Amino acid sequence: MPIARAEIERLVSSYPTPAVVGAVGSHSAIDIADGAATEGLANVVLAQRGREATYARYFRTLRGPDGARRRGCVDEVWEYAKFADLADGASQERLRGRGVLLVPNRAFSSYVPLVTVEEEFRVPVVGSRSMLRIEERTERDNYYALLESAGIPTPRAIPGPDAIDRLVIVKLPHAARRLERGFFTAASPEEFRAKRDALIARGTITSDDLAHARIEEYVLGPVFNFNFFFSPLVPRAEGLELLGVDERRESNLDGLVRLPAEQQLALPTADRIPDYLVVGHGTLTVRESILEEIFRLGERFVDASRTRYPPGILGAFCLQTCLDRNGSPIVFDVAARIGGGTNIHLGLGHPYGNALYRGPMSSGRRIALEIRRALADGRLKEIVS
Ligand SMILES: Nc1ncnc2c1ncn2[C@@H]1O[C@H](COP(=O)(O)OP(=O)(O)O)[C@@H](O)[C@H]1O
Ligand SMILES: [Mg+2]
């Protein structure tokens, strides 16, 4: 049974103060910690041993004799043998005892089993706990179903390899690194089979995963990840904000496209199939005449999420799009939580967030601001689940 929202509401009504902003130490934890520090909230990063140095050493808060922050933004690091241990009974008790409000990022929803998140993790989540599962493409009730019900354009689904009549992208997990991608493209059933065989042979994908893969039209156009924020604390018409836009750098895919065509063709076959391992992000703005359509998609997403997953999306979310040849956004993925690329605006803010807030506004800072506002107004229960 999923944890009832009423239970979380009761929990936060007797929560220790001051609240502490928490995040799992990976993905966008620095943005979250930085935002909390800027808004004057304490923060804790939940790290896995062996992966803690970024937080515990390099971005750790150092204070002067007067207690003032001299450097860094990560106030505390709690280490776990494995990330999943943070959901253990004793760990939950510690989190509640300190008044931790956990900001879900992809590391949280990847490393803690979703059924644990939904049914056992009795710590307030700043966002929409029940929507984390829609990211799993293998679920029936996934983000494609939500986008469809919202009337948001998605890449056309191709029923099977034999129906490939255009360039497609085949989406399945990496055979060994389960949280990474084993994606590949193909423009015909023959190319699909040739690449399938090559990728299985080199251990990138398995035929089991392939049986459940999503095959969809490859949208030829640049990727724009729109980092939105929705606040339930203001009238609906003022709730949606666009804070920033990022794009990804993907390991040898980006290496490949930086080579002249002749050198690409001279590469050994194995090197010509790109890997989609995310290794970084850059920042973008979008042509201004396209912005209104982006906001329309954001509004539809908010409305559909409120219908299908009440109370709907709370706080940060990200619509990952390709803009097609007409400049129309096609949404190929959704994060119902802070996106993976928001470190692009940490500290500095982003042109769009800054234009709204008249000063540096990142996703992490916006989340902390929301927590601060909710605390001040006694409305914390409206922004957690
Ligand atoms: N339909 C598509 N058309 C073109 N490129 C796509 C499409 N779907 C995904 N991509 C590319 O693959 C990358 C990862 O896709 P995504 O669906 O976000 O998978 P994941 O969330 O597992 O990383 C995107 O950043 C984009 O570059
Ligand atoms: Mg994605």
Side-chain angles (χ1 to χ4, degrees):
M1 277 282 283
I3 301 168
R5 188 153 185 243
E7 191 178 337
I8 301 295
E9 289 178 2
R10 275 199 300 278
L11 204 62
V12 292
S13 64
S14 59
Y15 228 43
T17 47
V20 176
V21 179
V24 174
S26 191
H27 194 266
S28 41
I30 301 176
D31 185 24
I32 295 165
D34 173 76
T38 304
E39 286 298 317
L41 295 173
N43 67 76
V44 57
V45 166
L46 314 177
Q48 179 164 295
R49 212 157 290 139
R51 296 177 59 170
E52 82 287 351
T54 300
Y55 313 98
R57 182 171 174 198
Y58 296 107
F59 286 91
R60 182 70 176 254
T61 302
L62 298 178
R63 295 186 184 278
D66 57 349
R69 185 186 304 277
R70 275 231 302 259
R71 203 185 92 175
C73 60
V74 177
D75 295 340
E76 271 182 72
V77 177
W78 295 359
E79 279 179 37
Y80 300 84
K82 291 194 316 299
F83 281 122
D85 297 346
L86 67 92
D88 286 355
S91 165
Q92 287 193 35
E93 215 151 290
R94 185 178 184 203
L95 290 161
R96 286 190 296 265
R98 273 300 290 281
V100 172
L101 302 167
L102 189 89
V103 179
N105 55 13
R106 184 59 178 156
F108 174 64
S109 59
S110 304
Y111 296 122
V112 180
L114 282 171
V115 50
T116 307
V117 170
E118 289 165 347
E119 302 186 4
E120 290 164 31
F121 189 64
R122 289 179 162 76
V123 174
V125 165
V126 185
S128 314
R129 186 189 293 255
S130 65
M131 289 183 71
L132 296 174
R133 190 179 282 280
I134 68 170
E135 288 185 36
E136 307 306 312
R137 290 192 189 94
T138 45
E139 295 283 325
R140 218 157 58 91
D141 219 12
N142 58 17
Y143 67 88
Y144 292 109
L146 177 62
L147 293 172
E148 212 163 289
S149 77
I152 293 175
T154 56
R156 185 196 304 252
I158 309 293
D162 291 329
I164 296 174
D165 59 349
R166 65 193 72 203
L167 186 61
V168 302
I169 183 164
V170 184
K171 297 191 170 183
L172 68 169
H174 192 278
R177 303 187 306 260
R178 299 302 290 167
L179 299 175
E180 299 295 345
R181 289 138 221 89
F183 292 6
F184 63 99
T185 57
S188 65
E190 296 71 41
E191 188 185 349
F192 176 95
R193 285 192 283 272
K195 281 195 176 156
R196 172 196 64 194
D197 296 345
L199 288 169
I200 290 178
R202 82 176 195 206
T204 304
I205 62 172
T206 69
S207 47
D208 274 0
D209 287 325
L210 205 52
H212 309 286
R214 157 103 180 173
I215 306 177
E216 69 185 27
E217 181 171 14
Y218 188 94
V219 183
L220 267 184
V223 173
F224 286 74
N225 297 326
F226 293 98
N227 296 300
F228 286 102
F229 191 91
F230 178 74
S231 174
L233 300 179
V234 295
R236 172 69 190 83
E238 294 164 30
L240 183 69
E241 302 165 8
L242 176 64
L243 294 176
V245 189
D246 71 82
E247 62 170 339
R248 284 178 172 179
R249 296 287 183 277
E250 285 159 321
S251 60
N252 77 332
L253 172 65
D254 278 282
L256 278 169
V257 299
R258 295 181 66 221
L259 287 175
E262 258 177 57
Q263 283 178 32
Q264 291 177 357
L265 293 171
L267 287 171
T269 323
D271 286 337
R272 276 192 250 161
I273 305 181
D275 273 309
Y276 293 81
L277 181 75
V278 180
V279 290
H281 300 88
T283 187
L284 291 171
T285 56
V286 73
R287 182 175 164 163
E288 209 161 300
S289 59
I290 297 175
L291 268 179
E292 242 171 77
E293 178 62 7
I294 300 304
F295 278 109
R296 260 195 295 278
L297 299 188
E299 298 288 0
R300 284 193 208 150
F301 181 81
V302 170
D303 287 336
S305 75
R306 284 151 73 97
T307 305
R308 279 175 88 98
Y309 304 95
I313 192 74
L314 304 170
F317 68 98
C318 179
L319 297 184
Q320 301 165 29
T321 75
C322 286
L323 297 192
D324 71 7
R325 64 170 67 219
N326 304 312
S328 301
I330 315 283
V331 180
F332 61 81
D333 197 9
V334 166
R337 40 136 183 106
I338 188 168
T342 71
N343 280 353
I344 52 146
H345 53 208
L346 93 93
L348 284 175
H350 186 276
Y352 296 134
N354 299 1
L356 277 175
Y357 283 89
R358 320 305 314 142
M361 186 53 71
S362 61
S363 291
R365 184 172 182 187
R366 183 64 187 86
I367 291 167
L369 176 64
E370 187 81 343
I371 294 173
R372 222 164 42 72
R373 285 180 174 167
L375 283 169
D377 296 346
R379 300 177 68 183
L380 196 54
K381 61 181 176 21
E382 293 173 60
I383 65 164
V384 298
S385 63

